[in-house]
Amino acid sequence: MKRDHNHLQPNPDPSSSLCGGSSTGKARLWEEEAAQQDCGMDELLAVLGYKVKTSDMAEVAQKLEQLEEVMCNVQDDGISHLASETVHYNPSDLSTYLESMLSELVPPTFDPFGAAGPAAAAAAGTLVDSFLPPAESSTLTTLDFENNNRKEIFDKASCSDYDLKAIPGKAIYSQSTQTQTHDSSSSSTHSNVKSEKRLKSTSGSQPDIFPPPPPASASSFGIPTDPIRPVILVDSQENGIRLVHALMACAEAVQQNNLNLAEALVKQIGFLAISQAGAMRKVATYFAEALARRIYRLYPKNPLDHSLSDVLHMHFYETCPYLKFAHFTANQAILEAFEGKERVHVIDFSMNQGMQWPALMQALALRAGGPPAFRLTGIGPPSHDNSDHLQEVGWKLAQLAETIHVEFEYRGFVANSLADLDASMLDLRPSEVEAVAVNSVFELHKLLARPGAIDKVFSVVKQMKPEIVTVVEQEANHNGPVFLDRFTESLHYYSTLFDSLEGSVSSQDKVMLEVYLGKQICNVVACEGVDRVERHESLTQWRNRLDSAGFSPVNLGSNAFKQAGMLLALFAGGDGYGVEENNGCLMLGWHNRPLITTSAWKPANNTTASATSTITR
């Protein structure tokens, strides 16, 4: 009743009553109640000590729900940081207190177009700077937000890749709270500056949710990165075994025409080869290329340019002992067969650059009783540039013969195949007048690609009635009918050959040698039919062929064996190389693995006397 009566009376001047002190305690209470009614405060919450306007009740209820949800999400991470690094506010102001609590757990929304505008952008720039290295400068944090054109700047940047975005990561907030409603975003932007203060580290103890920072890295700045990949120590020997198994499995898949599996394996071979060093890596690379050519049917169509082929052949001759051994042992057998002959004729099936013959011509020039008349017939393939390279070789040899006073006659024949030759083309003279020697270095195996070609050449050779036939061939079997067998054989053979080149050849020469041998590998593995000309066979197989063709073996003799050993001493001291005598034939090998073989033959109805002359180098 008194409240109603007082309410009906004229309102006294509050200032006078307060200053004068004439108002009673009840009057003072009535004035406070009237002030609460005028400010719109909720009476029930006011009794509990919380000041909440009636108009803010809906917003406070929404914030309470958000706070409950957020605290449930971060329960696993702990919330002890609220007690250690929270800027506390007056809890009687419930709306502001809830907003501060939410800002502790919910990241500020970096929206340059929000109600806060420049303030939110400035807070975002500060937050980004706190996670980036101080040396890095950002144009976003140096913008003048007080400029009248700031809205234009943000309008231009809104569609670019430089929009400010919240930095993800549980070190700041739970992933489940990344998305929020528009209402909560707009309400939280007012406290971005305050929340920015809470996110900065202090000199106090680190809270549980903020572990001690790791060493400087992308992840330490809050930027998500891929999981750290462990460092794996690769066992080269184990990978070498895997590499060989992959090569064999790929070859088997090719033989079974399982091209999908072969394609997958050939790619794996490339990766495994990288872990290897030296000869194994190079051999695997060449064999992988050859397998890939066979799988994708990318056969080498044209042979190497003649000039390039000559360069590769020259490097092979100069930098490793194989061709020198072949020429030396063959020349020694020819020199012994020409003992006492006044006129001699050499028919060379492998003329190339004529590198074999200067040494023989010098040996003939020093022969007791004077040198014989020397005639040379060189046979070689046509050049692709239409140059007469055989004639050029003849001119050089003629100049040498004139210098050492040897009567010299030369004739060159161009032939696509030795099977195209006929004895009548060679201007043969009676054996009583001229002694004939036939020489073949790495040439006869190419005839095996054409059926009947080797038999025809043997027949022509017998018509020449030679005193001796020297044959040098690779000691390998790369001519079998089963692809997997010849692949296995060639892999072992060229692995040994490449290994012999390591450490004894300069880097530049080694590259040229590898290209020379890689061309052979490609032909052995990738090609078939008449295109596969590298059909190497072993000494046993050549013996059977020559015996069947009517030839008998000629022992090379002890002189060739001894001097071949002296020759090998010139290459890395002869370490690793070895010469082996096999039933009158000489084999050059690497660590007891024969690689090339020199053999000598004559028609079965011919008789030859042994000679003791030697070549003087």
Side-chain angles (χ1 to χ4, degrees):
M1 295 297 294
K2 292 181 180 180
R3 180 179 179 181
D4 293 340
H5 175 75
N6 185 66
H7 182 69
L8 294 174
Q9 291 179 352
N11 188 20
D13 186 5
S15 62
S16 63
S17 60
L18 290 174
C19 295
S22 60
S23 301
T24 63
K26 292 183 178 179
R28 195 175 290 116
L29 178 61
W30 292 341
E31 290 173 358
E32 290 177 1
E33 291 177 353
Q36 289 181 3
Q37 290 180 0
D38 293 339
C39 295
M41 295 294 179
D42 184 84
E43 295 182 358
L44 294 179
L45 291 176
V47 173
L48 297 176
Y50 295 107
K51 299 178 181 180
V52 180
K53 294 182 181 180
T54 305
S55 59
D56 295 337
M57 286 294 294
E59 182 179 355
V60 170
Q62 183 180 5
K63 290 180 180 179
L64 286 170
E65 292 179 358
Q66 293 179 10
L67 181 61
E68 181 181 3
E69 179 181 357
V70 171
M71 294 185 70
C72 290
N73 290 332
V74 300
Q75 186 175 5
D76 295 336
D77 295 330
I79 56 175
S80 60
H81 70 289
L82 295 178
S84 60
E85 289 201 348
T86 301
V87 180
H88 298 283
Y89 297 89
N90 185 5
S92 64
D93 188 356
L94 187 58
S95 178
T96 305
Y97 179 75
L98 290 174
E99 185 174 344
S100 67
M101 291 287 291
L102 286 172
S103 64
E104 281 290 321
L105 302 174
V106 180
T109 304
F110 304 110
D111 183 9
F113 304 100
T126 306
L127 178 63
V128 172
D129 290 344
S130 66
F131 286 95
L132 292 177
E136 301 268 348
S137 63
S138 172
T139 56
L140 291 172
T141 60
T142 58
L143 288 175
D144 182 8
F145 292 108
E146 298 301 324
N147 192 291
N148 295 330
N149 297 328
R150 63 174 181 262
K151 186 178 186 303
E152 180 182 353
I153 296 174
F154 283 119
D155 289 341
K156 291 181 179 180
S158 61
C159 59
S160 69
D161 294 333
Y162 299 95
D163 292 346
L164 289 171
K165 297 179 175 64
I167 301 176
K170 293 188 72 175
I172 300 178
Y173 61 95
S174 176
Q175 296 291 341
S176 60
T177 62
Q178 291 185 20
T179 58
Q180 300 183 33
T181 61
H182 175 71
D183 293 337
S184 63
S185 299
S186 60
S187 62
S188 62
T189 53
H190 295 284
S191 62
N192 283 343
V193 178
K194 299 177 181 178
S195 63
E196 179 265 336
K197 295 180 181 178
R198 300 183 190 95
L199 289 173
K200 287 185 177 179
S201 60
T202 63
S203 59
S205 60
Q206 294 290 338
D208 295 340
I209 199 170
F210 291 105
S217 64
S219 60
S220 65
F221 301 128
I223 302 174
T225 58
D226 294 336
I228 298 176
R229 298 180 180 178
V231 177
I232 300 176
L233 299 178
V234 178
D235 188 340
S236 179
Q237 183 176 4
E238 181 180 352
N239 266 10
I241 298 174
R242 290 182 181 179
L243 180 58
V244 174
H245 288 174
L247 284 166
M248 297 304 301
C250 185
E252 186 174 2
V254 168
Q255 178 172 289
Q256 297 173 354
N257 203 30
N258 189 349
L259 299 185
N260 291 333
L261 176 59
E263 181 181 3
L265 288 170
V266 80
K267 293 178 181 178
Q268 183 184 9
I269 292 169
F271 290 113
L272 291 174
I274 296 176
S275 65
Q276 300 301 302
M280 188 60 191
R281 176 176 182 174
K282 298 166 187 175
V283 170
T285 300
Y286 280 112
F287 272 90
E289 178 187 354
L291 286 168
R293 286 184 175 274
R294 189 180 182 97
I295 293 169
Y296 298 113
R297 304 182 187 278
L298 300 175
Y299 307 118
K301 297 180 180 180
N302 299 321
L304 290 175
D305 179 76
H306 176 72
S307 58
L308 177 58
S309 180
D310 286 346
V311 171
L312 296 178
H313 192 266
M314 181 69 72
H315 274 80
F316 187 64
Y317 175 81
E318 292 290 348
T319 56
C320 60
Y322 299 106
L323 266 179
K324 288 183 179 292
F325 172 86
H327 293 169
F328 183 84
T329 52
N331 283 349
Q332 183 66 39
I334 293 172
L335 184 62
E336 294 176 357
F338 283 166
E339 178 66 22
K341 307 295 181 180
E342 295 296 328
R343 305 188 69 87
V344 296
H345 183 193
V346 174
I347 301 173
D348 186 13
F349 286 171
S350 48
M351 190 61 185
N352 293 312
Q353 294 299 309
M355 295 176 292
Q356 180 174 350
W357 306 120
L360 179 63
M361 293 169 65
Q362 291 174 357
L364 291 174
L366 297 175
R367 194 177 69 171
F374 180 54
R375 185 155 74 109
L376 178 62
T377 298
I379 302 170
S383 61
H384 301 286
D385 55 2
N386 296 323
S387 62
D388 193 353
H389 63 282
L390 290 179
Q391 194 65 27
E392 295 174 1
V393 172
W395 280 110
K396 294 178 181 179
L397 292 175
Q399 293 175 352
L400 173 63
E402 184 178 1
T403 302
I404 61 178
H405 307 291
V406 172
E407 182 181 345
F408 180 75
E409 183 180 350
Y410 175 81
R411 189 178 183 185
F413 278 94
V414 175
N416 291 314
S417 172
L418 294 176
D420 298 333
L421 292 177
D422 190 86
S424 60
M425 302 167 56
L426 302 177
D427 189 21
L428 296 173
R429 298 163 188 174
S431 58
E432 296 82 4
V433 177
E434 187 178 71
V436 176
V438 178
N439 180 74
S440 175
V441 177
F442 301 148
E443 290 294 333
L444 293 184
H445 67 264
K446 300 177 183 178
L447 297 170
L448 302 177
R450 299 173 58 181
I454 187 68
D455 295 331
K456 181 183 179 182
V457 170
F458 285 159
S459 177
V460 172
V461 170
K462 289 177 67 176
Q463 295 176 28
M464 299 175 187
K465 298 179 180 180
E467 295 289 331
I468 194 169
V469 179
T470 53
V471 177
V472 181
E473 286 292 334
Q474 289 89 343
E475 183 58 25
N477 182 14
H478 302 156
N479 193 34
V482 181
F483 171 75
L484 185 59
D485 291 343
R486 67 172 181 266
F487 179 89
T488 305
E489 173 69 18
S490 63
L491 181 60
H492 286 290
Y493 178 83
Y494 284 103
S495 296
T496 305
L497 195 56
F498 270 72
D499 185 56
S500 69
L501 303 178
E502 293 293 317
S504 61
V505 181
S506 65
S507 299
Q508 182 177 359
D509 291 331
K510 190 184 298 183
V511 171
M512 304 298 286
L513 293 177
E514 290 164 1
V515 173
Y516 179 83
L517 298 175
K519 176 176 172 286
Q520 296 180 13
I521 293 173
C522 186
N523 189 269
V524 171
V525 176
C527 299
E528 285 295 348
V530 295
D531 294 328
R532 181 163 62 86
V533 296
E534 301 295 343
R535 295 174 176 260
H536 312 138
E537 289 191 343
S538 64
L539 175 61
T540 301
Q541 292 170 299
W542 284 114
R543 275 183 178 147
N544 294 334
R545 290 185 181 277
L546 288 160
D547 285 341
S548 301
F551 292 88
S552 59
V554 176
N555 291 336
L556 292 179
S558 59
N559 286 333
F561 180 82
K562 292 178 182 178
Q563 295 191 33
M566 295 173 59
L567 174 68
L568 294 180
L570 301 176
F571 294 88
D575 293 340
Y577 293 106
V579 181
E580 178 185 349
E581 193 273 342
N582 187 322
N583 293 328
C585 305
L586 293 181
M587 293 180 171
L588 172 60
W590 175 256
H591 291 297
N592 300 322
R593 171 46 161 106
L595 295 174
I596 65 172
T597 301
T598 301
S599 59
W601 307 83
K602 67 178 187 295
N605 57 351
N606 280 17
T607 58
T608 53
S610 62
T612 58
S613 300
T614 59
I615 297 177
T616 302
R617 300 184 70 253

